[in-house]
Amino acid sequence: MNETRRSILGAIDGETLSGPTLAAELGISRAAVWKHIEALRAAGFEIESGADGYRLIDVAAYNGPAVEYGLDAPFTVEYHDAIGSTNDRARELATDGAADVAVLADEQTGGRGRLEREWSAPAGGVWVSIVSRPAIEPARAPLYTLAASVATARAAREAGVDARIKWPNDVVVPIDDTDYRKLAGILTEMEGEMGRIEWLVVGIGVNANVDADALPETATSIRAEAGDIDRRLFVQRLLEAFDRYRNDLEGVVPAWREHALTLGQRVRIDRQTGEIVGDAVDVTASGALVVDTENGRETVSAGDCEHLRPV
Ligand code: BT5
């Protein structure tokens, strides 16, 4: 958001200030103050104007300026009412050199899961893709994905949902000891060369204010579990938590363990090199799953994981 507009919002949040006072404080004309106030109103900020001046009443909207206002993390937010895939748009921005941009949409018409699977993304969800340019070894990139799953699980728990993480990074809600429904998924894509990451896009899809009927049978939503949320506040907490974890990668795996549903479960993992079945006992420092199988202990860094009934 434009710095002057951010300053105006800050000044009239909790205090009534007159046009002339604002103009003097910001070093702009009264006409300019009026234009900025009108632009902020058009962006969904509810600003009261009385005899004493202007006052911010509410930020009810869900869009770029509204999410940026009050956000305690260094992201600019690009909002779309509808878009094919926020990951595709984020990749475009990343290729053009962008950093710390979050692409946000109300609805995606071509949402993508991993391995070219489809991702349902009706209006009302939280569909967001974050562009980062981290100075870390590519081998540590999976920690960014785990960071996103922890941030998502935390934000969903704050919204009153019993959200847990299924390895590697599905956020699910348990139904019983082995069954669960999927609340959110994460798709990370990156570009780089030996030893260096050029950019990294972490796409997070959360079924927020969405009817479960509009989703695959195996899915659930925040609406179905706990009722509708204020998506603006939800995205802010999500981006802030993600930002904290990406700056504290050592803290990611311990936090992941706290929210993990997979540890202690009997699992089947479908990997490119074949399937393994066993007991999930731990995750390594880079987020790989440690599984005790009939043939000994195995460490799995990627694959689809299914929780099985105990034998
Ligand atoms: C994922 O893939 O879980 C990653 C999903 C990432 C979505 C975000 S939204 C913002 C950004 N922009 C994008 O285009 N994508 C990212 P995967 O683990 O492959 O799971 C995909 C499978 O989940 C599908 O095959 C369905 O079975 C199921 N599924 C599809 N839509 C779903 C939904 N909304 N909720 C829960 N499950 C869903």
Short mmCIF file of all heavy atoms in Angstrom, two decimals, residues 166-232:
data_model
loop_
_atom_site.label_atom_id
_atom_site.label_comp_id
_atom_site.label_asym_id
_atom_site.label_seq_id
_atom_site.Cartn_x
_atom_site.Cartn_y
_atom_site.Cartn_z
N LYS A 166 -0.44 -33.94 8.51
CA LYS A 166 -0.14 -35.27 8.01
C LYS A 166 1.11 -35.12 7.15
O LYS A 166 1.13 -34.27 6.26
CB LYS A 166 -1.32 -35.79 7.18
CG LYS A 166 -1.10 -37.20 6.68
CD LYS A 166 -2.38 -37.75 6.09
CE LYS A 166 -2.59 -37.28 4.67
NZ LYS A 166 -1.73 -37.96 3.69
N TRP A 167 2.11 -35.94 7.43
CA TRP A 167 3.37 -35.82 6.71
C TRP A 167 3.16 -35.94 5.20
O TRP A 167 2.37 -36.78 4.79
CB TRP A 167 4.35 -36.92 7.18
CG TRP A 167 5.68 -36.80 6.54
CD1 TRP A 167 6.73 -36.05 6.97
CD2 TRP A 167 6.11 -37.44 5.34
NE1 TRP A 167 7.79 -36.17 6.11
CE2 TRP A 167 7.43 -37.02 5.09
CE3 TRP A 167 5.52 -38.32 4.41
CZ2 TRP A 167 8.17 -37.45 3.99
CZ3 TRP A 167 6.25 -38.74 3.31
CH2 TRP A 167 7.55 -38.31 3.12
N PRO A 168 3.81 -35.13 4.36
CA PRO A 168 4.74 -34.09 4.80
C PRO A 168 4.03 -32.78 5.14
O PRO A 168 4.45 -32.10 6.05
CB PRO A 168 5.64 -33.90 3.57
CG PRO A 168 4.81 -34.31 2.40
CD PRO A 168 3.84 -35.35 2.90
N ASN A 169 2.96 -32.43 4.39
CA ASN A 169 2.43 -31.09 4.65
C ASN A 169 0.96 -30.90 4.33
O ASN A 169 0.55 -29.84 3.91
CB ASN A 169 3.28 -30.04 3.93
CG ASN A 169 3.60 -30.51 2.53
OD1 ASN A 169 2.70 -30.83 1.78
ND2 ASN A 169 4.87 -30.62 2.21
N ASP A 170 0.18 -31.95 4.57
CA ASP A 170 -1.28 -31.75 4.49
C ASP A 170 -1.76 -31.32 5.86
O ASP A 170 -1.36 -31.92 6.86
CB ASP A 170 -1.98 -33.07 4.16
CG ASP A 170 -1.91 -33.40 2.68
OD1 ASP A 170 -1.48 -32.54 1.90
OD2 ASP A 170 -2.28 -34.54 2.33
N VAL A 171 -2.62 -30.33 5.89
CA VAL A 171 -3.23 -29.97 7.17
C VAL A 171 -4.61 -30.65 7.19
O VAL A 171 -5.41 -30.46 6.28
CB VAL A 171 -3.33 -28.45 7.34
CG1 VAL A 171 -4.03 -28.10 8.65
CG2 VAL A 171 -1.92 -27.85 7.33
N VAL A 172 -4.81 -31.48 8.20
CA VAL A 172 -6.02 -32.31 8.24
C VAL A 172 -6.71 -32.16 9.59
O VAL A 172 -6.14 -31.66 10.55
CB VAL A 172 -5.68 -33.81 8.00
CG1 VAL A 172 -5.01 -34.01 6.65
CG2 VAL A 172 -4.82 -34.37 9.12
N VAL A 173 -7.97 -32.63 9.62
CA VAL A 173 -8.72 -32.66 10.87
C VAL A 173 -9.04 -34.13 11.15
O VAL A 173 -9.66 -34.80 10.32
CB VAL A 173 -10.03 -31.85 10.74
CG1 VAL A 173 -10.83 -31.92 12.04
CG2 VAL A 173 -9.73 -30.41 10.37
N PRO A 174 -8.58 -34.67 12.28
CA PRO A 174 -8.83 -36.09 12.56
C PRO A 174 -10.33 -36.36 12.78
O PRO A 174 -11.03 -35.52 13.36
CB PRO A 174 -8.05 -36.36 13.85
CG PRO A 174 -7.47 -35.09 14.30
CD PRO A 174 -7.80 -34.01 13.33
N ILE A 175 -10.78 -37.53 12.32
CA ILE A 175 -12.17 -37.96 12.58
C ILE A 175 -12.14 -39.02 13.68
O ILE A 175 -12.92 -39.00 14.60
CB ILE A 175 -12.81 -38.60 11.32
CG1 ILE A 175 -12.77 -37.64 10.14
CG2 ILE A 175 -14.24 -39.04 11.63
CD1 ILE A 175 -13.24 -38.27 8.84
N ASP A 176 -11.22 -39.97 13.55
CA ASP A 176 -11.01 -40.96 14.62
C ASP A 176 -9.51 -41.31 14.60
O ASP A 176 -8.72 -40.54 14.07
CB ASP A 176 -11.92 -42.19 14.42
CG ASP A 176 -11.69 -42.87 13.07
OD1 ASP A 176 -10.55 -42.82 12.57
OD2 ASP A 176 -12.64 -43.44 12.52
N ASP A 177 -9.15 -42.48 15.15
CA ASP A 177 -7.72 -42.79 15.30
C ASP A 177 -6.94 -42.78 13.99
O ASP A 177 -5.76 -42.44 13.97
CB ASP A 177 -7.55 -44.16 15.97
CG ASP A 177 -7.83 -44.05 17.46
OD1 ASP A 177 -7.97 -42.90 17.92
OD2 ASP A 177 -7.92 -45.09 18.13
N THR A 178 -7.59 -43.18 12.89
CA THR A 178 -6.84 -43.26 11.64
C THR A 178 -7.41 -42.41 10.51
O THR A 178 -6.71 -42.15 9.55
CB THR A 178 -6.77 -44.73 11.14
OG1 THR A 178 -8.11 -45.24 11.14
CG2 THR A 178 -5.89 -45.58 12.02
N ASP A 179 -8.66 -41.99 10.65
CA ASP A 179 -9.27 -41.23 9.55
C ASP A 179 -9.16 -39.72 9.78
O ASP A 179 -9.10 -39.26 10.92
CB ASP A 179 -10.75 -41.60 9.40
CG ASP A 179 -10.91 -42.76 8.45
OD1 ASP A 179 -9.95 -43.02 7.68
OD2 ASP A 179 -11.97 -43.42 8.48
N TYR A 180 -9.18 -39.02 8.66
CA TYR A 180 -9.03 -37.57 8.75
C TYR A 180 -9.61 -36.97 7.48
O TYR A 180 -9.81 -37.67 6.49
CB TYR A 180 -7.54 -37.19 8.85
CG TYR A 180 -6.70 -38.00 7.90
CD1 TYR A 180 -6.62 -37.66 6.55
CD2 TYR A 180 -6.05 -39.15 8.33
CE1 TYR A 180 -5.91 -38.43 5.66
CE2 TYR A 180 -5.33 -39.93 7.45
CZ TYR A 180 -5.25 -39.57 6.12
OH TYR A 180 -4.55 -40.33 5.23
N ARG A 181 -9.91 -35.66 7.55
CA ARG A 181 -10.32 -34.95 6.35
C ARG A 181 -9.32 -33.82 6.09
O ARG A 181 -8.81 -33.22 7.04
CB ARG A 181 -11.72 -34.35 6.53
CG ARG A 181 -12.79 -35.41 6.58
CD ARG A 181 -14.13 -34.89 6.09
NE ARG A 181 -15.08 -36.00 6.03
CZ ARG A 181 -15.87 -36.35 7.03
NH1 ARG A 181 -15.85 -35.67 8.16
NH2 ARG A 181 -16.69 -37.37 6.90
N LYS A 182 -9.12 -33.53 4.82
CA LYS A 182 -8.09 -32.54 4.47
C LYS A 182 -8.65 -31.12 4.49
O LYS A 182 -9.63 -30.82 3.83
CB LYS A 182 -7.52 -32.89 3.09
CG LYS A 182 -6.39 -32.01 2.63
CD LYS A 182 -5.56 -32.75 1.57
CE LYS A 182 -4.69 -31.82 0.76
NZ LYS A 182 -3.79 -32.56 -0.14
N LEU A 183 -7.98 -30.27 5.24
CA LEU A 183 -8.40 -28.87 5.39
C LEU A 183 -7.58 -27.95 4.49
O LEU A 183 -8.08 -26.94 4.01
CB LEU A 183 -8.21 -28.44 6.85
CG LEU A 183 -8.62 -27.03 7.21
CD1 LEU A 183 -10.15 -26.94 7.29
CD2 LEU A 183 -8.01 -26.61 8.54
N ALA A 184 -6.32 -28.31 4.29
CA ALA A 184 -5.43 -27.42 3.53
C ALA A 184 -4.31 -28.22 2.90
O ALA A 184 -3.92 -29.27 3.40
CB ALA A 184 -4.84 -26.35 4.45
N GLY A 185 -3.80 -27.69 1.80
CA GLY A 185 -2.68 -28.34 1.11
C GLY A 185 -1.66 -27.30 0.70
O GLY A 185 -1.98 -26.10 0.60
N ILE A 186 -0.44 -27.75 0.48
CA ILE A 186 0.65 -26.83 0.16
C ILE A 186 1.41 -27.32 -1.06
O ILE A 186 1.70 -28.51 -1.19
CB ILE A 186 1.58 -26.69 1.38
CG1 ILE A 186 0.80 -25.93 2.45
CG2 ILE A 186 2.85 -25.92 1.03
CD1 ILE A 186 1.21 -26.18 3.82
N LEU A 187 1.69 -26.40 -1.95
CA LEU A 187 2.42 -26.72 -3.17
C LEU A 187 3.61 -25.77 -3.29
O LEU A 187 3.43 -24.57 -3.48
CB LEU A 187 1.50 -26.54 -4.39
CG LEU A 187 2.16 -26.66 -5.76
CD1 LEU A 187 2.64 -28.10 -5.99
CD2 LEU A 187 1.18 -26.26 -6.87
N THR A 188 4.82 -26.32 -3.15
CA THR A 188 6.02 -25.49 -3.25
C THR A 188 6.70 -25.72 -4.59
O THR A 188 6.84 -26.86 -5.02
CB THR A 188 7.01 -25.84 -2.11
OG1 THR A 188 6.35 -25.61 -0.88
CG2 THR A 188 8.25 -24.98 -2.18
N GLU A 189 7.07 -24.65 -5.24
CA GLU A 189 7.78 -24.75 -6.51
C GLU A 189 9.00 -23.86 -6.44
O GLU A 189 8.96 -22.81 -5.80
CB GLU A 189 6.87 -24.32 -7.65
CG GLU A 189 5.63 -25.22 -7.74
CD GLU A 189 4.66 -24.82 -8.85
OE1 GLU A 189 3.97 -23.80 -8.69
OE2 GLU A 189 4.62 -25.53 -9.86
N MET A 190 10.11 -24.29 -7.05
CA MET A 190 11.29 -23.44 -6.99
C MET A 190 12.12 -23.49 -8.24
O MET A 190 11.97 -24.36 -9.08
CB MET A 190 12.15 -23.80 -5.78
CG MET A 190 12.71 -25.20 -5.79
SD MET A 190 13.54 -25.49 -4.23
CE MET A 190 15.20 -25.70 -4.84
N GLU A 191 12.98 -22.48 -8.35
CA GLU A 191 13.89 -22.37 -9.48
C GLU A 191 15.26 -22.10 -8.87
O GLU A 191 15.38 -21.34 -7.92
CB GLU A 191 13.42 -21.17 -10.32
CG GLU A 191 14.24 -20.82 -11.52
CD GLU A 191 13.90 -21.68 -12.72
OE1 GLU A 191 12.76 -22.13 -12.87
OE2 GLU A 191 14.83 -21.90 -13.52
N GLY A 192 16.25 -22.77 -9.40
CA GLY A 192 17.59 -22.53 -8.85
C GLY A 192 18.62 -23.29 -9.64
O GLY A 192 18.33 -23.84 -10.71
N GLU A 193 19.83 -23.29 -9.13
CA GLU A 193 20.90 -24.06 -9.75
C GLU A 193 21.67 -24.70 -8.63
O GLU A 193 21.32 -24.52 -7.46
CB GLU A 193 21.76 -23.13 -10.61
CG GLU A 193 22.24 -21.93 -9.82
CD GLU A 193 22.73 -20.80 -10.73
OE1 GLU A 193 21.94 -20.35 -11.57
OE2 GLU A 193 23.89 -20.41 -10.56
N MET A 194 22.77 -25.40 -8.95
CA MET A 194 23.56 -26.07 -7.92
C MET A 194 23.84 -25.13 -6.74
O MET A 194 24.44 -24.08 -6.92
CB MET A 194 24.90 -26.51 -8.52
CG MET A 194 24.79 -27.72 -9.41
SD MET A 194 24.48 -29.21 -8.46
CE MET A 194 26.13 -29.49 -7.82
N GLY A 195 23.38 -25.50 -5.58
CA GLY A 195 23.77 -24.78 -4.37
C GLY A 195 23.07 -23.45 -4.14
O GLY A 195 23.36 -22.76 -3.17
N ARG A 196 22.14 -23.05 -5.03
CA ARG A 196 21.55 -21.74 -4.86
C ARG A 196 20.07 -21.76 -5.28
O ARG A 196 19.73 -22.33 -6.31
CB ARG A 196 22.28 -20.72 -5.74
CG ARG A 196 22.00 -19.27 -5.40
CD ARG A 196 22.89 -18.39 -6.26
NE ARG A 196 22.38 -18.32 -7.62
CZ ARG A 196 21.57 -17.37 -8.06
NH1 ARG A 196 21.20 -16.40 -7.27
NH2 ARG A 196 21.13 -17.37 -9.31
N ILE A 197 19.24 -21.10 -4.48
CA ILE A 197 17.83 -20.98 -4.86
C ILE A 197 17.63 -19.61 -5.48
O ILE A 197 18.02 -18.60 -4.91
CB ILE A 197 16.92 -21.11 -3.62
CG1 ILE A 197 17.04 -22.53 -3.03
CG2 ILE A 197 15.46 -20.81 -3.97
CD1 ILE A 197 16.24 -22.73 -1.75
N GLU A 198 17.05 -19.60 -6.67
CA GLU A 198 16.76 -18.32 -7.34
C GLU A 198 15.48 -17.73 -6.72
O GLU A 198 15.47 -16.62 -6.25
CB GLU A 198 16.59 -18.61 -8.83
CG GLU A 198 16.23 -17.43 -9.68
CD GLU A 198 17.39 -16.45 -9.87
OE1 GLU A 198 18.56 -16.89 -9.78
OE2 GLU A 198 17.11 -15.26 -10.08
N TRP A 199 14.43 -18.52 -6.74
CA TRP A 199 13.19 -18.14 -6.06
C TRP A 199 12.43 -19.37 -5.60
O TRP A 199 12.66 -20.47 -6.12
CB TRP A 199 12.29 -17.26 -6.93
CG TRP A 199 11.94 -17.78 -8.31
CD1 TRP A 199 12.45 -17.33 -9.48
CD2 TRP A 199 11.00 -18.82 -8.65
NE1 TRP A 199 11.89 -18.03 -10.53
CE2 TRP A 199 11.00 -18.94 -10.05
CE3 TRP A 199 10.17 -19.66 -7.90
CZ2 TRP A 199 10.20 -19.89 -10.73
CZ3 TRP A 199 9.37 -20.60 -8.58
CH2 TRP A 199 9.40 -20.69 -9.98
N LEU A 200 11.53 -19.13 -4.69
CA LEU A 200 10.74 -20.22 -4.15
C LEU A 200 9.31 -19.70 -3.98
O LEU A 200 9.11 -18.61 -3.45
CB LEU A 200 11.35 -20.55 -2.79
CG LEU A 200 11.06 -21.88 -2.15
CD1 LEU A 200 12.38 -22.44 -1.65
CD2 LEU A 200 10.17 -21.72 -0.98
N VAL A 201 8.36 -20.45 -4.50
CA VAL A 201 6.95 -20.07 -4.35
C VAL A 201 6.26 -21.12 -3.47
O VAL A 201 6.29 -22.31 -3.78
CB VAL A 201 6.24 -19.99 -5.72
CG1 VAL A 201 4.72 -19.91 -5.55
CG2 VAL A 201 6.73 -18.77 -6.51
N VAL A 202 5.72 -20.67 -2.36
CA VAL A 202 4.98 -21.57 -1.49
C VAL A 202 3.50 -21.24 -1.64
O VAL A 202 3.06 -20.15 -1.28
CB VAL A 202 5.40 -21.41 -0.01
CG1 VAL A 202 4.61 -22.34 0.87
CG2 VAL A 202 6.89 -21.69 0.14
N GLY A 203 2.74 -22.17 -2.20
CA GLY A 203 1.30 -21.98 -2.40
C GLY A 203 0.54 -22.68 -1.29
O GLY A 203 0.78 -23.86 -1.02
N ILE A 204 -0.34 -21.95 -0.65
CA ILE A 204 -1.12 -22.51 0.46
C ILE A 204 -2.60 -22.40 0.12
O ILE A 204 -3.08 -21.31 -0.23
CB ILE A 204 -0.84 -21.73 1.77
CG1 ILE A 204 0.66 -21.69 2.07
CG2 ILE A 204 -1.61 -22.34 2.94
CD1 ILE A 204 1.05 -20.81 3.24
N GLY A 205 -3.30 -23.51 0.20
CA GLY A 205 -4.74 -23.49 -0.06
C GLY A 205 -5.48 -23.95 1.18
O GLY A 205 -5.28 -25.07 1.65
N VAL A 206 -6.32 -23.09 1.74
CA VAL A 206 -7.07 -23.43 2.95
C VAL A 206 -8.56 -23.34 2.64
O VAL A 206 -9.05 -22.29 2.19
CB VAL A 206 -6.76 -22.47 4.12
CG1 VAL A 206 -7.40 -22.99 5.41
CG2 VAL A 206 -5.27 -22.28 4.30
N ASN A 207 -9.29 -24.41 2.88
CA ASN A 207 -10.75 -24.39 2.71
C ASN A 207 -11.32 -23.61 3.88
O ASN A 207 -11.50 -24.14 4.96
CB ASN A 207 -11.30 -25.82 2.70
CG ASN A 207 -10.65 -26.67 1.63
OD1 ASN A 207 -10.40 -26.20 0.53
ND2 ASN A 207 -10.36 -27.93 1.96
N ALA A 208 -11.56 -22.35 3.66
CA ALA A 208 -11.99 -21.48 4.77
C ALA A 208 -13.51 -21.37 4.79
O ALA A 208 -14.19 -22.26 5.30
CB ALA A 208 -11.30 -20.13 4.64
N ASN A 209 -14.05 -20.28 4.22
CA ASN A 209 -15.51 -20.07 4.25
C ASN A 209 -16.15 -20.73 3.03
O ASN A 209 -16.67 -20.07 2.13
CB ASN A 209 -15.81 -18.58 4.28
CG ASN A 209 -15.19 -17.90 5.49
OD1 ASN A 209 -14.83 -18.56 6.46
ND2 ASN A 209 -15.05 -16.60 5.44
N VAL A 210 -16.05 -22.05 3.01
CA VAL A 210 -16.48 -22.83 1.85
C VAL A 210 -17.35 -23.98 2.37
O VAL A 210 -17.02 -24.59 3.39
CB VAL A 210 -15.22 -23.43 1.15
CG1 VAL A 210 -15.63 -24.35 0.02
CG2 VAL A 210 -14.29 -22.35 0.66
N ASP A 211 -18.45 -24.27 1.66
CA ASP A 211 -19.27 -25.44 2.03
C ASP A 211 -18.52 -26.71 1.70
O ASP A 211 -17.90 -26.81 0.63
CB ASP A 211 -20.58 -25.44 1.22
CG ASP A 211 -21.56 -24.41 1.74
OD1 ASP A 211 -21.44 -24.03 2.93
OD2 ASP A 211 -22.42 -23.97 0.95
N ALA A 212 -18.61 -27.69 2.58
CA ALA A 212 -17.92 -28.97 2.33
C ALA A 212 -18.43 -29.61 1.03
O ALA A 212 -17.69 -30.31 0.35
CB ALA A 212 -18.10 -29.90 3.53
N ASP A 213 -19.71 -29.35 0.66
CA ASP A 213 -20.27 -29.91 -0.59
C ASP A 213 -19.51 -29.46 -1.83
O ASP A 213 -19.57 -30.13 -2.86
CB ASP A 213 -21.71 -29.42 -0.83
CG ASP A 213 -22.62 -29.77 0.30
OD1 ASP A 213 -22.14 -30.44 1.22
OD2 ASP A 213 -23.80 -29.37 0.24
N ALA A 214 -18.87 -28.30 -1.74
CA ALA A 214 -18.17 -27.77 -2.92
C ALA A 214 -16.78 -28.37 -3.04
O ALA A 214 -16.02 -27.99 -3.94
CB ALA A 214 -18.08 -26.25 -2.80
N LEU A 215 -16.44 -29.31 -2.15
CA LEU A 215 -15.08 -29.85 -2.10
C LEU A 215 -15.10 -31.37 -2.29
O LEU A 215 -16.15 -31.99 -2.16
CB LEU A 215 -14.47 -29.55 -0.72
CG LEU A 215 -14.36 -28.06 -0.35
CD1 LEU A 215 -14.01 -27.92 1.12
CD2 LEU A 215 -13.31 -27.39 -1.23
N PRO A 216 -13.95 -31.97 -2.58
CA PRO A 216 -13.92 -33.44 -2.66
C PRO A 216 -14.40 -34.06 -1.33
O PRO A 216 -14.32 -33.42 -0.28
CB PRO A 216 -12.44 -33.75 -2.89
CG PRO A 216 -11.85 -32.50 -3.44
CD PRO A 216 -12.64 -31.37 -2.89
N GLU A 217 -14.86 -35.30 -1.41
CA GLU A 217 -15.43 -35.99 -0.25
C GLU A 217 -14.47 -36.10 0.93
O GLU A 217 -14.88 -36.12 2.08
CB GLU A 217 -15.80 -37.41 -0.68
CG GLU A 217 -17.23 -37.78 -0.43
CD GLU A 217 -17.49 -39.16 -0.99
OE1 GLU A 217 -17.01 -40.13 -0.39
OE2 GLU A 217 -18.14 -39.23 -2.06
N THR A 218 -13.19 -36.17 0.61
CA THR A 218 -12.18 -36.37 1.65
C THR A 218 -11.77 -35.05 2.31
O THR A 218 -10.85 -35.03 3.11
CB THR A 218 -10.92 -36.99 1.02
OG1 THR A 218 -10.58 -36.18 -0.13
CG2 THR A 218 -11.15 -38.41 0.58
N ALA A 219 -12.47 -33.96 1.93
CA ALA A 219 -12.05 -32.64 2.43
C ALA A 219 -13.00 -32.10 3.48
O ALA A 219 -14.15 -32.53 3.61
CB ALA A 219 -12.01 -31.66 1.25
N THR A 220 -12.51 -31.14 4.24
CA THR A 220 -13.38 -30.39 5.15
C THR A 220 -12.99 -28.92 5.06
O THR A 220 -12.03 -28.56 4.34
CB THR A 220 -13.29 -30.90 6.60
OG1 THR A 220 -14.29 -30.25 7.39
CG2 THR A 220 -11.92 -30.64 7.22
N SER A 221 -13.74 -28.06 5.75
CA SER A 221 -13.45 -26.63 5.68
C SER A 221 -13.55 -26.04 7.09
O SER A 221 -14.12 -26.65 8.00
CB SER A 221 -14.45 -25.93 4.77
OG SER A 221 -15.76 -26.01 5.31
N ILE A 222 -13.01 -24.84 7.23
CA ILE A 222 -13.14 -24.16 8.53
C ILE A 222 -14.62 -23.90 8.80
O ILE A 222 -15.09 -24.09 9.92
CB ILE A 222 -12.32 -22.84 8.53
CG1 ILE A 222 -10.83 -23.16 8.39
CG2 ILE A 222 -12.59 -22.05 9.82
CD1 ILE A 222 -9.91 -21.96 8.42
N ARG A 223 -15.38 -23.53 7.75
CA ARG A 223 -16.82 -23.31 7.93
C ARG A 223 -17.48 -24.56 8.52
O ARG A 223 -18.26 -24.46 9.47
CB ARG A 223 -17.46 -22.97 6.58
CG ARG A 223 -18.99 -22.94 6.64
CD ARG A 223 -19.60 -22.55 5.31
NE ARG A 223 -19.49 -21.12 5.09
CZ ARG A 223 -19.81 -20.52 3.94
NH1 ARG A 223 -20.24 -21.24 2.91
NH2 ARG A 223 -19.68 -19.21 3.81
N ALA A 224 -17.15 -25.73 7.97
CA ALA A 224 -17.80 -26.96 8.43
C ALA A 224 -17.35 -27.33 9.85
O ALA A 224 -18.13 -27.91 10.62
CB ALA A 224 -17.47 -28.11 7.48
N GLU A 225 -16.13 -27.00 10.22
CA GLU A 225 -15.61 -27.41 11.52
C GLU A 225 -15.92 -26.42 12.63
O GLU A 225 -16.16 -26.81 13.77
CB GLU A 225 -14.08 -27.58 11.46
CG GLU A 225 -13.59 -28.61 10.44
CD GLU A 225 -13.95 -30.05 10.83
OE1 GLU A 225 -14.06 -30.33 12.04
OE2 GLU A 225 -14.10 -30.88 9.92
N ALA A 226 -15.86 -25.12 12.30
CA ALA A 226 -15.92 -24.14 13.39
C ALA A 226 -16.70 -22.88 13.03
O ALA A 226 -16.80 -21.97 13.84
CB ALA A 226 -14.51 -23.75 13.80
N GLY A 227 -17.21 -22.80 11.79
CA GLY A 227 -17.92 -21.59 11.37
C GLY A 227 -17.01 -20.64 10.62
O GLY A 227 -15.78 -20.80 10.64
N ASP A 228 -17.62 -19.65 9.98
CA ASP A 228 -16.85 -18.73 9.14
C ASP A 228 -15.86 -17.89 9.94
O ASP A 228 -16.07 -17.61 11.12
CB ASP A 228 -17.80 -17.81 8.37
CG ASP A 228 -18.39 -18.51 7.15
OD1 ASP A 228 -18.15 -19.73 6.99
OD2 ASP A 228 -19.08 -17.84 6.36
N ILE A 229 -14.80 -17.50 9.25
CA ILE A 229 -13.77 -16.67 9.88
C ILE A 229 -13.65 -15.34 9.13
O ILE A 229 -14.14 -15.21 8.01
CB ILE A 229 -12.39 -17.36 9.83
CG1 ILE A 229 -12.12 -17.89 8.41
CG2 ILE A 229 -12.30 -18.45 10.86
CD1 ILE A 229 -10.69 -18.15 8.11
N ASP A 230 -12.94 -14.40 9.76
CA ASP A 230 -12.55 -13.16 9.08
C ASP A 230 -11.27 -13.51 8.31
O ASP A 230 -10.19 -13.67 8.91
CB ASP A 230 -12.29 -12.09 10.14
CG ASP A 230 -11.88 -10.76 9.52
OD1 ASP A 230 -11.26 -10.77 8.43
OD2 ASP A 230 -12.16 -9.72 10.14
N ARG A 231 -11.40 -13.65 6.99
CA ARG A 231 -10.25 -14.12 6.20
C ARG A 231 -9.08 -13.16 6.23
O ARG A 231 -7.93 -13.56 6.12
CB ARG A 231 -10.68 -14.37 4.74
CG ARG A 231 -11.47 -15.65 4.59
CD ARG A 231 -11.75 -15.93 3.13
NE ARG A 231 -12.62 -14.93 2.54
CZ ARG A 231 -12.82 -14.79 1.23
NH1 ARG A 231 -12.18 -15.56 0.38
NH2 ARG A 231 -13.66 -13.88 0.77
N ARG A 232 -9.39 -11.86 6.36
CA ARG A 232 -8.30 -10.89 6.40
C ARG A 232 -7.38 -11.17 7.61
O ARG A 232 -6.17 -11.26 7.47
CB ARG A 232 -8.89 -9.48 6.50
CG ARG A 232 -7.86 -8.44 6.82
CD ARG A 232 -8.47 -7.05 6.93
NE ARG A 232 -7.50 -6.16 7.50
CZ ARG A 232 -7.53 -5.73 8.75
NH1 ARG A 232 -8.49 -6.11 9.57
NH2 ARG A 232 -6.58 -4.93 9.19
#
